[in-house]
Amino acid sequence: MSFGFTKIREMEIAEMATKAVVYRHDKTGARVLSLSNDDENKVFGISFRTPPSDSTGVAHILEHSVLCGSDKYPVKEPFVELLKGSLQTFLNALTFPDKTCYPVASANVQDFYNLVDVYLDAVFHPRLTENTLKQEGWHYELEGADRDLTYKGVVFNEMKGAYSSPDSRLYEASQQSLFPDNTYGLDSGGDPAVIPDLTFEQFMAFHRDHYHPSNAYAYFYGDDDPQKRLEILDAVFSQYEPIDVTPTRVPLQARFTEAKAVRTGYPASDRLAKGMFTVNWLLAETSDPNLNLALHILEHILIGLPGSPLKKALTDSGLGDDLAGVGLEADMRQMFFSVGLKGMHPSNAVKVESIIFHTIKDLVENGIDARDIEAAVNSVEFSLRENNTGSYPRGLSLMFQALSTWLYDDEGVEGDPLALLPFEAPLRNVKAWIESGEKIFEELLARLFLHNPHRTTVLLEPDHQLGKKTAKEERDRLDKAKAAMSPAEIEQVMADAAELKRLQAAPDDPEALRTIPRLTTSDLPAENRPIPTELRSVAGRELLFHDLPTNGIGYLDFGFDLAVIPDELLPYAGVFGRALTESGTAERDFVDLSQRIARTSGGIWAQPFSAPVLNSAEPAARLFLRTKATGDKLADTLEIVSEILASAKLDNKERIGRIVAEARARAEQRLVPSGHMIVATRLRARTHAAHAMDEAMSGLTNLRFLRELEQRVDKDFRNVAKDLEQFRSLLINRSGLILNATMDEALFAQAESGLAKVVDGLPAGAPAPVKRAVPTLPAREGLAIPAQVNYVGKGCGLAGYGIELTGAAQVVNKLIRTGYLWEKVRVQGGAYGAFCILDRLAGAIALVSYRDPNVADTVKAFDDLAGHLENLKIDSDELEKSIIGAIGEMDSYQLPDAKGFTGLTRHLTGQDDAYLQTIREQALSASEADFRDLAQAVRANAEHGDICVLGDSLAMENSGLGLDIEQVL
C-alpha cells in the first residue's frame, strides 16, 4: 500500500547493503527518505527547514520547547520521561544554521515506535505557552522590588556558555563573514544580547510557519517494516492542509567580487594575550558528489596529517600554537573552507595569511606530492567503507548526510537526499582522474582558493575588557527595563516568575504520565549479552580475541602497563603517545611516517587509559597503541607498529615542542566547552589512585604540567628528551604488554604472525610497579576562567563511610538525573545540564552542573538531594521506568570495534560476566529501599564532599562558599 504517498525514486546502495526509497506525501507534500537494511539499531528523524531571520535564537528555543509537552502527551517534559524509561540508543534534538532535527534510535522495535509516536506529536502538536518561552528561552527574574532585575532561561545560559568559548566565537565569525546576506550570517543558536528581543508572538509564528508537514523531511533507517513507516507518517500528515513553504528556502549567497576582512574580540583574562586568525573561502554547492568527495580528499591533503603541507607550513612557522578553523564545512548549502592559527600574536596575522597563500601557490605551481594524494585517498576511502560513527547510530550519520543535499530546492528542482549516500561511483571517478594524470586537486586549489575573490580573513583578538563590557551592557539594559516599569509591572514580574517556579515544581498528573508509551520490565532480557572474548597467547603474551564481524577490518590494541611510570613522569603520557606516531623514526621523518600510516591503515594512535579495579586500591592503567587496517594491509600496518615502538624519535626538539604547544593549547581550549569534565576529573582524583592518574594525564594538573614543559622544551630540552627516553625504557617492553584483537577468525589468522613479530621485537625488561597516592587538593576549590557561566561540582569517596554502590544505584541515579537534577538545576536553576556520577569501582560520587548561571544555589540543590531521596515516595510506575532506563544504559548499542575495546577494559578492571550479571539483576530487582540506601551516599557527599567550581571569578567570590580561587586561564 502507498498510504497516501507517491514513490519518487528507488535505489539499491550496494556499498551500504541498503534499499533507499524517496516518497512525497500526496496531500501535504511532506518528503520521506526510507532506508531499509539489516541494522537493528533503527533510526527515525523528523526535520524542518528553519532558517532564522535574526539572532534571537527562535529556532533553538523552539527545539527545546516542543519537547515540553504535547496534546497527546500533556506532561511537562515527555522528552525526559522517554529518557527515564526507554531503551533508546539516541534521543535528542539539534538546531543547525538552516534546519532543526528531531532524531531517535532504538534496537527494540516497540520502543522505537513509542519514541517515534511521542516525537511526532511533540513537533506537530506542542503545548506552547508563554511560560514555555520563559523557561526554555528567557524571562525576567526579580527576587524583590529593591533587587536587581536579571535574565534567566535555559537557552539564554547555554548560549552564554557558547559565547564564552573563543573557538565557538571564531567558528561563528568565520562562517558569518562568508554569508552576510543569508541565514548563515546569523546565529541560529541565539546571541545572548539578542535573545531577550524574542517575543511570544514571534515564537508562535515561527512554529506555525515552519513546523508543518509541507516543510517536513521524515527519515527512517534500519530493519523495521517499511510499510508501517508510511502508515505512521500518513496518520499524522493527513491531518493538515498544504501550505506554501517557499519562504523557508535557503537562497545562495551572492559571490563577492573582492575579499573582506573582519576583526573582532573575545573575552580574555589579563594573562591571555593571544589571538586567532583564519582565512576562509566560499567554495561550491554541496550537491555535486564528485566535487564533494574531491574536496574532502583535498582537505585531508592540506591539513589531515601532522606532515600535511599546509598544516606543516603553519605549525612550523612558530607563529601560533595550533591550527585554527574548521577545515571543510560541508553540511550547508554551500561548502566553505576555513584554516589559520590560534595562540598567535594578532600582529602576525599578515604573516599567517602570507604562509597560507604561499603554500597553496606552491602546490598549484609545483604539484602535490603523490604520496600525500595516495594517503588522503586511502584515508577517506577507509572512513567511507568502515562507516564507523562511534557512539552515534550509523543511521543518524546518514540522515545528516542526506539532509545536506535534500534540504535545498531550486525553482522546479527539489533537493536530492541520495546525491551523496552512494560513494562507489564518485570514488571510482576520482581515482580514475588521478590515475590518468589529471591534476584535479591542483585545479581545485587554483580555482576555489588561489583565484577565488569570495574570501575573508577573520582576526579574533583577546579583549580584556569585553567580559566586563558585555556584563555592563546587560546590566544597563536590565536597569533601563526596570526603570521603565511601574510598581504594578514590577509586582507582575515577580508574580510571573513565582508562577513559573510553581509550575516547574508542580508534579505531573499521574494519569497524564501514564499516557507516555513505554515498555515494561517483562520486555527486558534477564541476562546480559556477553561480548565474545577468548583468552589466547601470542609470543608468550596474553591476547584477548573478540570474534566479531568487522566487514574485513582488523582492530588491534597494544596495552603497555603505566604502573611502572613514576608520578613525576606520568604527565608525559599524552605527549609521549603522540610522539610515537608524530615525531618520525630512525628510518623516516615524521612527514614520511604520517604518509605511510595513512597509505597503509585506518590510523595508528595512542590512548592513555586509567580506571579502578574491582575490589582493589590498585589502578588498571595502560597506554594503548591502537590501530585498524583492512586484511590485506594488516601485515604492513604491524611492520609500522614495530618500527614506531622500536625507534620513534624522542629527541626531535622541533617536533616535541610542536606537540607540547598543541597539547597545551587544546587543554586550554577544553576548559569552557568541557568544564564539567574538568571539574569531575578533579573531584574524582581525590577518591582513587586510578583517577589521580587520570587527573595527571588529562586534567588541570596536566595543563599546568604542559605549561611548564613548554618552557622547558625551549630552555632545557636535553633533560626533556631524557625524561621521554626514560618513559620509553620503562614502558615499552614485553612484560607489561596485553594484546587485544577484534576481528573474525580468518582475519586473525592473517594477523597472528605479524603480532608475534611485534612482541618479539620488544625489550624483555620487567620494571617494578610504583606506589600511587591520591593528591591533596583544596576542599573548596575555585578555578577562574573568563566565562559567563559556571561548572559546579561536589564529590567524595564513599569507602570510608561503609557505603557500597550496587546495580540498583544505577536505577536510582537514572531518576536523579532525569528527575531531581533536571528540575532543580536545569529547569528551575537555568543551567544547561546536571549529572550524578556514581563510580562503583572506586566507591565514589560526584554531582556536577554544566553551563550554570549559579554557584551556591547549585551546591544547595546538590546537598538537598539527600533529603529528597530520604523522603521520596516512589510509585511503581516511576520505579519501572527507571529500571528500564538503567537497563538501556547497560545494553547501550556498540559497533564491533567498541565492543572489543569494552571487553578489554572490563577484563583489566576485573568486571567479568558473572559480576556484570549480578549488577543487572540488582538493577532489575531495585526497590524503594535502594533509594534510601543511595540517600546515604548523597548525605555523605553533602556533609563531607569537596567542592570544585570552574567559572566566573566574581560569581565564585559572591557565592559565600569560601572558595580558594585561582585564575587558571
Side-chain angles (χ1 to χ4, degrees):
M1 292 181 65
S2 66
F3 293 103
F5 288 90
T6 296
K7 184 191 294 185
I8 304 299
R9 190 176 176 198
E10 183 174 323
M11 176 189 288
E12 292 288 341
I13 307 178
E15 51 266 54
M16 297 178 183
T18 293
K19 179 181 178 180
V21 187
V22 182
Y23 296 96
R24 261 284 199 178
H25 190 241
D26 297 334
K27 182 179 180 184
T28 63
R31 310 181 208 198
V32 180
L33 174 59
S34 178
L35 301 182
S36 299
N37 51 43
D38 62 1
D39 192 341
E40 66 173 344
N41 197 14
K42 292 163 275 292
V43 175
F44 165 76
I46 185 82
S47 303
F48 304 93
R49 279 196 311 228
T50 54
S53 58
D54 55 41
S55 293
T56 58
V58 60
H60 186 188
I61 295 167
L62 259 175
E63 174 233 299
H64 285 237
S65 299
V66 300
L67 298 174
C68 294
S70 65
D71 290 351
K72 194 173 178 181
Y73 304 111
V75 299
K76 288 190 295 184
E77 307 227 36
F79 173 75
V80 178
E81 298 307 315
L82 293 175
L83 283 175
K84 287 180 186 175
S86 167
L87 298 179
Q88 53 84 18
T89 56
F90 189 88
L91 182 72
N92 211 335
L94 307 99
T95 303
F96 295 87
D98 55 16
K99 59 184 171 283
T100 307
C101 307
Y102 297 86
V104 298
S106 179
N108 179 291
V109 67
Q110 187 54 55
D111 189 52
F112 178 65
Y113 289 139
N114 292 345
L115 297 171
V116 172
D117 188 49
V118 174
Y119 259 45
L120 282 171
D121 202 59
V123 297
F124 289 114
H125 305 291
R127 297 194 310 164
L128 299 176
T129 68
E130 291 195 46
N131 280 321
T132 313
L133 173 59
K134 288 175 181 177
Q135 174 179 293
E136 298 300 326
W138 76 276
H139 66 275
Y140 289 129
E141 195 123 317
L142 191 59
E143 295 181 1
D146 59 342
R147 303 288 293 275
D148 283 340
L149 192 67
T150 60
Y151 291 126
K152 248 189 185 175
V154 173
V155 169
F156 180 77
N157 285 310
E158 178 188 351
M159 296 312 296
K160 274 196 165 186
Y163 274 63
S164 297
S165 165
D167 287 270
S168 293
R169 282 181 174 255
L170 181 68
Y171 176 81
E172 289 291 334
S174 297
Q175 174 188 302
Q176 291 169 7
S177 71
L178 291 169
F179 297 95
D181 305 317
N182 70 6
T183 190
Y184 303 136
L186 302 166
D187 189 344
S188 63
D191 181 339
V194 183
I195 288 173
D197 293 338
L198 179 64
T199 68
F200 182 63
E201 291 72 27
Q202 292 169 327
F203 176 70
M204 294 300 291
F206 198 89
H207 183 269
R208 180 195 66 224
D209 296 340
H210 296 81
Y211 283 62
H212 188 283
S214 299
N215 192 45
Y217 298 76
Y219 170 90
F220 278 95
Y221 165 97
D223 64 359
D224 56 303
D225 181 355
Q227 286 297 299
K228 188 164 184 178
R229 297 171 174 179
L230 301 180
E231 182 181 3
I232 290 169
L233 292 173
D234 181 60
V236 176
F237 294 164
S238 292
Q239 301 171 33
Y240 292 82
E241 298 300 322
I243 65 170
D244 178 18
V245 294
T246 305
T248 70
R249 287 183 181 174
V250 178
L252 291 171
Q253 167 65 47
R255 289 278 173 177
F256 295 174
T257 56
E258 58 182 21
K260 300 182 179 182
V262 174
R263 192 169 185 165
T264 186
Y266 73 90
S269 64
D270 291 340
R271 66 185 294 171
L272 277 178
K274 294 186 176 181
M276 299 181 175
F277 176 78
T278 56
V279 180
N280 315 283
W281 294 265
L282 185 67
L283 303 178
E285 288 195 65
T286 308
S287 53
D288 182 329
N290 292 323
L291 180 57
N292 191 298
L293 179 63
L295 285 170
H296 277 90
I297 295 170
L298 181 58
E299 175 190 36
H300 196 283
I301 289 170
L302 293 174
I303 59 173
L305 300 173
S308 294
L310 184 53
K311 182 173 184 177
K312 184 175 185 297
L314 285 167
T315 55
D316 283 0
S317 72
L319 296 174
D321 296 331
D322 198 2
L323 223 58
V326 72
L328 179 67
E329 173 58 74
D331 287 331
M332 305 188 304
R333 182 167 187 182
Q334 291 164 284
M335 295 179 281
F336 72 86
F337 193 90
S338 176
V339 70
L341 277 178
K342 65 179 67 170
M344 49 159 280
H345 196 282
S347 64
N348 286 325
V350 174
K351 293 180 182 177
V352 174
E353 183 177 11
S354 175
I355 289 168
I356 291 170
F357 275 93
H358 175 79
T359 304
I360 293 173
K361 185 171 183 288
D362 182 68
L363 292 172
V364 170
E365 293 178 351
N366 298 313
I368 298 168
D369 188 328
R371 293 171 299 177
D372 282 327
I373 295 174
E374 183 186 355
V377 170
N378 182 71
S379 295
V380 172
E381 180 177 2
F382 188 98
S383 177
L384 289 169
R385 297 198 185 284
E386 183 188 28
N387 192 20
N388 192 331
T389 53
S391 61
Y392 286 99
R394 281 175 164 155
L396 182 62
S397 172
L398 292 176
M399 184 185 91
F400 291 139
Q401 193 171 13
L403 285 167
S404 72
T405 53
W406 195 11
L407 210 68
Y408 311 115
D409 301 336
D410 284 321
E411 204 61 48
V413 180
E414 292 187 352
D416 180 7
L418 302 181
L420 303 180
L421 298 194
F423 60 79
E424 288 288 9
L427 184 61
R428 193 165 51 246
N429 292 338
V430 170
K431 284 182 171 180
W433 293 329
I434 296 169
E435 186 68 25
S436 69
E438 290 189 48
K439 300 290 187 180
I440 60 169
F441 301 111
E442 289 87 346
E443 188 276 329
L444 288 174
L445 281 174
R447 177 165 57 89
L448 295 178
F449 290 74
L450 205 56
H451 305 305
N452 179 3
H454 199 122
R455 181 180 79 246
T456 64
T457 57
V458 173
L459 177 60
L460 195 69
E461 299 178 278
D463 186 335
H464 307 306
Q465 301 303 315
L466 185 59
K468 293 176 183 176
K469 180 185 175 187
T470 302
K472 184 179 185 304
E473 287 173 351
E474 181 180 309
R475 180 76 268 142
D476 289 347
R477 180 176 182 176
L478 286 161
D479 289 346
K480 184 178 179 181
K482 186 183 177 188
M485 294 177 187
S486 67
E489 288 171 327
I490 289 174
E491 289 296 324
Q492 191 61 52
V493 166
M494 291 190 288
D496 288 347
E499 174 62 7
L500 179 60
K501 288 180 180 177
R502 185 193 69 78
L503 292 171
Q504 291 169 336
D508 279 310
D509 179 356
E511 287 301 316
L513 282 172
R514 278 191 275 275
T515 64
I516 303 288
R518 64 171 178 83
L519 304 176
T520 66
T521 50
S522 62
D523 297 312
L524 304 177
E527 296 185 357
N528 288 319
R529 268 200 253 181
I531 295 171
T533 303
E534 180 186 344
L535 291 178
R536 297 184 177 183
S537 178
V538 171
R541 298 312 309 158
E542 183 180 50
L543 176 138
L544 276 68
F545 174 63
H546 311 284
D547 190 353
L548 291 165
T550 57
N551 198 26
I553 295 171
Y555 298 91
L556 295 166
D557 305 300
F558 301 81
F560 296 93
D561 195 353
L562 287 166
V564 300
I565 302 296
D567 286 341
E568 64 270 19
L569 291 180
L570 190 62
Y572 276 105
V575 171
F576 175 80
R578 283 188 60 188
L580 287 178
T581 59
E582 296 182 29
S583 63
T585 66
E587 296 181 35
R588 64 194 82 242
D589 64 22
F590 83 96
V591 176
D592 190 7
L593 177 63
S594 65
Q595 288 172 336
R596 189 179 178 212
I597 290 171
R599 292 198 310 269
T600 307
S601 71
I604 302 175
W605 68 99
Q607 179 177 325
F609 168 84
S610 181
V613 176
L614 181 64
N615 299 323
S616 172
E618 295 303 313
R622 294 288 191 281
L623 182 69
F624 290 110
L625 190 64
R626 311 188 65 193
T627 189
K628 54 188 177 182
T630 52
D632 61 320
K633 293 183 177 178
L634 275 170
D636 289 344
T637 299
L638 287 168
E639 285 184 7
I640 301 173
V641 170
S642 286
E643 180 182 327
I644 286 168
L645 292 174
S647 66
K649 291 185 69 64
L650 304 179
D651 59 354
N652 183 333
K653 180 178 180 179
E654 183 180 351
R655 283 304 302 152
I656 299 300
R658 177 52 42 208
I659 289 168
V660 171
E662 288 179 4
R664 189 263 308 148
R666 292 170 190 179
E668 290 177 342
Q669 176 190 335
R670 283 182 62 229
L671 289 175
V672 172
S674 300
H676 59 306
M677 295 310 300
I678 301 293
V679 168
T681 300
R682 193 89 175 146
L683 289 170
R684 296 169 79 191
R686 308 152 205 247
T687 65
H688 195 282
H691 296 316
M693 293 179 74
D694 195 26
E695 166 69 16
M697 293 187 290
S698 65
L700 185 62
T701 299
N702 190 253
L703 172 56
R704 290 169 175 153
F705 168 81
L706 290 170
R707 285 171 171 164
E708 293 175 5
L709 184 61
E710 194 170 10
Q711 302 302 314
R712 289 183 57 211
V713 168
D714 281 340
K715 299 173 182 175
D716 187 24
F717 182 71
R718 180 170 161 274
N719 281 315
V720 171
K722 283 176 62 177
D723 286 348
L724 288 168
E725 191 56 54
Q726 185 184 359
F727 196 106
R728 172 162 56 189
S729 66
L730 290 169
L731 186 73
I732 306 299
N733 59 72
R734 263 174 276 174
S735 63
L737 177 65
I738 187 169
L739 304 169
N740 194 54
T742 305
M743 61 192 76
D744 61 32
E745 193 69 67
L747 272 180
F748 184 73
Q750 293 177 247
E752 188 169 11
S753 62
L755 278 168
K757 285 181 182 177
V758 174
V759 176
D760 287 339
L762 295 173
V770 301
K771 290 290 184 183
R772 302 281 178 204
V774 297
T776 300
L777 298 171
R780 293 179 173 246
E781 189 171 30
L783 308 171
I785 59 174
Q788 300 178 61
V789 291
N790 309 295
Y791 305 86
V792 182
K794 188 169 185 178
C796 74
L798 301 171
Y801 308 104
I803 298 168
E804 182 181 351
L805 298 173
T806 68
Q810 194 163 336
V811 174
V812 183
N813 190 21
K814 189 71 179 176
L815 191 61
I816 289 172
R817 296 199 316 268
T818 57
Y820 179 89
L821 290 179
W822 184 278
E823 292 173 5
K824 292 290 184 183
V825 180
R826 178 185 165 105
V827 174
Q828 297 174 32
Y832 188 60
F835 315 89
C836 176
I837 303 168
L838 298 179
D839 188 339
R840 277 196 312 270
L841 299 180
I845 182 173
L847 295 159
V848 184
S849 71
Y850 179 71
R851 289 186 177 173
D852 191 344
N854 308 303
V855 178
D857 286 352
T858 298
V859 173
K860 184 178 186 303
F862 290 163
D863 291 347
D864 289 348
L865 173 59
H868 172 78
L869 291 175
E870 289 163 353
N871 299 307
L872 182 66
K873 300 298 180 187
I874 181 81
D875 66 37
S876 58
D877 195 59
E878 283 295 308
L879 178 60
E880 187 170 53
K881 278 192 288 191
S882 297
I883 290 172
I884 293 166
I887 294 297
E889 290 179 349
M890 292 179 189
D891 294 345
S892 60
Y893 190 86
Q894 291 185 305
L895 296 176
D897 65 308
K899 285 183 180 177
F901 194 70
T902 297
L904 170 62
T905 59
R906 287 175 177 174
H907 174 77
L908 290 172
T909 55
Q911 300 180 84
D912 61 17
D913 288 342
Y915 169 76
L916 293 170
Q917 183 60 33
T918 298
I919 293 298
R920 185 185 195 88
E921 290 167 2
Q922 289 170 343
L924 286 168
S925 61
S927 68
E928 189 171 303
D930 294 301
F931 285 76
R932 308 289 175 263
D933 290 344
L934 191 61
Q936 296 178 47
V938 179
R939 176 68 65 194
N941 188 47
E943 295 175 356
H944 307 290
D946 285 356
I947 296 171
C948 181
V949 181
L950 177 76
D952 177 58
S953 58
L954 187 60
M956 289 189 277
E957 289 168 9
N958 294 336
S959 69
L961 294 174
L963 298 172
D964 183 1
I965 300 172
E966 174 192 359
Q967 193 78 36
V968 297
L969 187 65

